[in-house]
Amino acid sequence: MTEDDNWDEDLEEDAAIARVFQHLNIHKQLIGESGLNSEVRPSNERVDFVALPCGHRMPTDYVVAWFKYYLKQKNTEFSCPRFNVQGKSCSVNLSYQDICRLIPLTDKQREFIEENLAALVARRLFDFKACPGCQSHVERRDRGNLCAHCTICTANLKRNYYFCWNCRREWKGPANNSGRCNNNGCGQRVRTSDPLIPCKPEFKKKMLQEKGDDIYPIKDKSTDRKRLALLINNVEFKNLSDRTGADKDELSMEVLLKGLGYTVITLRDLSAQGMLAAMRDFAQREEHTESDSCFVVLMSHGDASGICGVFDSFENEDEEDVFQVDDIFNCLNTPNCARLRDKPKIILIQACRGEPHPFQATFFGKCCPHVIDKEGSVDVQDSVPRRNRAKEHREKDFCCLRSCTPDTVSYRNEEKGSHFIQDIVEIFNQHAHQDDIEELFRKVLKKFKMSHPDQMPCKERTTLSKKFYLFPGL
């Protein structure tokens, strides 16, 4: 069984245990301990920023997204996500009660967090699993015995009913055997096939020998290599339709990036300010020093002016909640992200690029003077202080693939996910073991030409000076 299979199974168990804890009213205890009045605190009004006890000020939606990310990592405490210029994290911990005191959570946010907290607590305190016979949840009191007794099935069948805690089938063999039951395959780890084809060591060695100077340096797979990927997925919107099916894209991309050796930071439902905060903090992380590359994946609604935040627009304000793609490049460029200098930075954007809102059409229809006036190069310090400063271009080693060309739209299947993300995952799984990143993108475009002629991805602002091979598995 793969790690992802275990994660899916854990999610099912967590959801089931959360439902059990609802009946036990444990989530209501959490509310009571926080001292909140559930009928007073929920708010649908926009809340811009919150000052955390550590003094860092950030968008409230960003804080909530990080807390949900920590829950997904099975942590019950939240750590401030701010990183300083030295790459050190703030690391000040906050509990759910602290978050409730600082941010007026909506009913839906509170319900999600409390159910997941209850599930995590339940997994630590009790041993629950669903009975394969009746699907009711059975607590195993003896953790040393795999034979579990279901009283409901026993009553229904009018005989003792036992099932195996390991393989979740009706028990076969002696009832006190703690090692395994007599069902075929029980106790054996079943590994499903990995869709990502691994790279052969001989191929990597050949490429490095023949084209070493024309290939970006890649760190070998080890505990010292710390690759990071940022995945932002906006699903639920205040004024736009929800992006049904985007959870499929999120899961597929997470599995792919993890298979490629990246630790994935997944943040959901961010405003434009939240996305900007996420990019700035991601750029400052110390792990980039021990990395050889990074991925940034953004999935949301969009138009010609940029990527939509979850608010889209704000009431009583002449302002749109739109994140500018330029900010991705600005945060990760040479002067602002020295740890990723000379390292490939791959950006994937799933969003429409149609006509902007009337307000934005006027503002963004002209060239941006603040961009034009910037010099193309910046001074950087060589690794040896005695040497003179060298010139490095402020924006290099990027490769960006967008889901569609300007002024067109992207398509998403509500059951399967978007064409763009799903095709990228398929192409990478089949060809990343032998193709560099730009050849992979070319194959994605070719697949769209054949399978989705009404949409065409677009490669933009690509400044890779060498070939970037992912060498999956190595």
Side-chain angles (χ1 to χ4, degrees):
M1 184 176 291
T2 65
E3 181 181 343
D4 296 312
D5 292 331
N6 285 330
W7 170 245
D8 290 340
E9 184 177 311
D10 288 345
L11 284 177
E12 293 177 4
E13 291 181 15
D14 287 348
I17 295 170
R19 289 193 292 270
V20 172
F21 267 59
Q22 279 185 330
H23 294 299
L24 296 175
N25 292 325
I26 287 184
H27 71 293
K28 291 183 179 179
Q29 277 187 351
L30 290 172
I31 298 175
E33 291 172 1
S34 67
L36 300 178
N37 184 329
S38 61
E39 295 182 3
V40 174
R41 286 302 301 273
S43 171
N44 293 321
E45 297 179 359
R46 174 194 178 202
V47 180
D48 280 337
F49 288 83
V50 60
L52 300 182
C54 56
H56 288 131
R57 190 168 175 267
M58 57 193 69
T60 56
D61 54 276
Y62 180 50
V63 175
V64 173
W66 261 102
F67 197 91
K68 290 182 177 180
Y69 170 72
Y70 271 78
L71 287 176
K72 190 172 182 178
Q73 307 308 307
K74 301 186 184 302
N75 295 321
T76 56
E77 283 198 333
F78 161 77
S79 180
C80 173
R82 187 54 42 86
F83 285 77
N84 59 27
V85 291
Q86 287 77 36
K88 301 295 183 182
S89 64
C90 173
S91 298
V92 171
N93 289 332
L94 294 92
S95 65
Y96 170 57
Q97 289 78 10
D98 295 328
I99 298 298
C100 286
R101 282 192 289 268
L102 293 168
I103 300 174
L105 300 175
T106 65
D107 288 337
K108 191 169 185 178
Q109 288 172 333
R110 215 171 39 240
E111 180 181 3
F112 174 88
I113 293 174
E114 288 162 6
E115 285 189 8
N116 281 273
L117 281 173
L120 289 174
V121 173
R123 290 179 66 83
R124 294 175 183 177
L125 298 179
F126 306 105
D127 208 8
F128 283 102
K129 275 194 178 179
C131 167
C134 64
Q135 301 305 313
S136 64
H137 288 83
V138 177
E139 179 185 0
R140 181 173 62 155
R141 299 187 180 278
D142 182 2
R143 299 200 176 200
N145 189 2
L146 289 178
C147 183
H149 182 224
C150 177
T151 56
I152 295 178
C153 284
T154 296
N156 291 340
L157 298 173
K158 294 182 170 46
R159 62 175 176 84
N160 282 327
Y161 181 88
Y162 299 91
F163 68 92
C164 177
W165 203 257
N166 186 38
C167 68
R168 294 194 188 183
R169 288 177 285 179
E170 186 171 1
W171 184 267
K172 289 184 180 180
N176 292 322
N177 185 347
S178 61
R180 61 184 295 270
C181 70
N182 289 341
N183 284 307
N184 292 332
C186 183
Q188 300 176 2
R189 293 180 63 85
V190 179
R191 186 175 181 84
T192 58
S193 59
D194 190 343
L196 180 63
I197 300 176
C199 176
K200 294 182 179 179
E202 309 87 69
F203 175 81
K204 180 179 180 181
K205 183 178 180 180
K206 178 183 177 182
M207 287 293 102
L208 294 178
Q209 287 177 344
E210 295 180 355
K211 305 178 181 179
D213 294 338
D214 195 36
I215 297 176
Y216 279 100
I218 297 296
K219 292 179 177 288
D220 292 331
K221 184 178 181 180
S222 69
T223 55
D224 294 330
R225 186 181 72 181
K226 298 179 180 179
R227 288 176 168 175
L228 285 183
L230 175 64
L231 195 164
I232 296 175
N233 186 19
N234 288 343
V235 181
E236 297 180 356
F237 293 77
K238 182 178 180 182
N239 299 314
L240 295 173
S241 61
D242 292 344
R243 296 182 58 250
T244 308
D247 55 325
K248 304 294 191 305
D249 287 343
E250 179 180 310
L251 178 59
S252 297
M253 187 55 65
E254 283 180 334
V255 172
L256 173 64
L257 292 173
K258 289 176 183 177
L260 294 172
Y262 293 86
T263 297
V264 185
I265 301 169
T266 302
L267 303 177
R268 271 206 184 191
D269 299 337
L270 294 179
S271 64
Q273 294 170 332
M275 287 186 272
L276 180 59
M279 284 303 313
R280 286 173 174 169
D281 285 337
F282 181 74
Q284 299 303 322
R285 291 185 70 109
E286 59 185 339
E287 292 95 331
H288 294 315
T289 303
E290 305 302 326
S291 178
D292 52 25
S293 57
C294 80
F295 271 77
V296 173
V297 184
L298 277 77
M299 301 184 289
S300 185
H301 286 304
D303 58 31
S305 64
I307 302 170
C308 293
V310 292
F311 292 105
D312 179 52
S313 61
F314 301 121
E315 296 177 4
N316 304 319
E317 293 187 33
D318 188 19
E319 180 185 353
E320 301 293 338
D321 187 28
V322 177
F323 176 72
Q324 301 302 310
V325 175
D326 278 351
D327 286 327
I328 304 173
F329 293 87
N330 292 337
C331 289
L332 298 179
N333 66 14
T334 302
N336 292 329
C337 187
R339 294 177 183 84
L340 286 175
R341 190 179 68 173
D342 299 324
K343 301 174 183 180
K345 297 164 277 286
I346 310 304
I347 301 167
L348 306 174
I349 301 175
Q350 161 63 31
C352 292
R353 304 176 68 182
E355 289 298 320
H357 295 284
F359 158 76
Q360 294 164 327
T362 302
F363 182 81
F364 293 103
K366 59 181 181 180
C367 295
C368 298
H370 67 282
V371 175
I372 295 175
D373 290 343
K374 288 184 178 179
E375 293 184 9
S377 61
V378 293
D379 289 332
V380 296
Q381 186 69 47
D382 282 333
S383 56
V384 182
R386 293 191 305 271
R387 300 175 64 182
N388 294 328
R389 287 177 177 265
K391 285 283 188 180
E392 292 274 3
H393 199 278
R394 66 169 54 246
E395 182 179 308
K396 64 188 188 69
D397 308 307
F398 283 94
C399 192
C400 175
L401 188 67
R402 303 194 63 170
S403 59
C404 60
T405 54
D407 302 320
T408 62
V409 297
S410 301
Y411 293 94
R412 168 176 35 85
N413 185 291
E414 294 189 349
E415 295 182 356
K416 299 178 180 179
S418 67
H419 299 325
F420 180 66
I421 296 297
Q422 296 303 322
D423 283 359
I424 285 178
V425 170
E426 179 183 333
I427 295 297
F428 275 52
N429 280 334
Q430 295 177 357
H431 301 284
H433 68 289
Q434 61 185 10
D435 291 336
D436 67 278
I437 195 75
E438 293 197 70
E439 176 60 18
L440 292 171
F441 286 172
R442 188 192 67 80
K443 281 183 165 66
V444 172
L445 269 62
K446 183 178 179 180
K447 181 173 175 59
F448 266 81
K449 181 180 178 181
M450 298 173 60
S451 304
H452 316 296
D454 50 353
Q455 179 182 343
M456 178 55 67
C458 178
K459 190 168 64 172
E460 294 183 346
R461 293 175 75 161
T462 295
T463 53
L464 296 180
S465 58
K466 300 180 181 182
K467 293 183 181 296
F468 175 39
Y469 286 91
L470 290 159
F471 298 129
L474 299 178

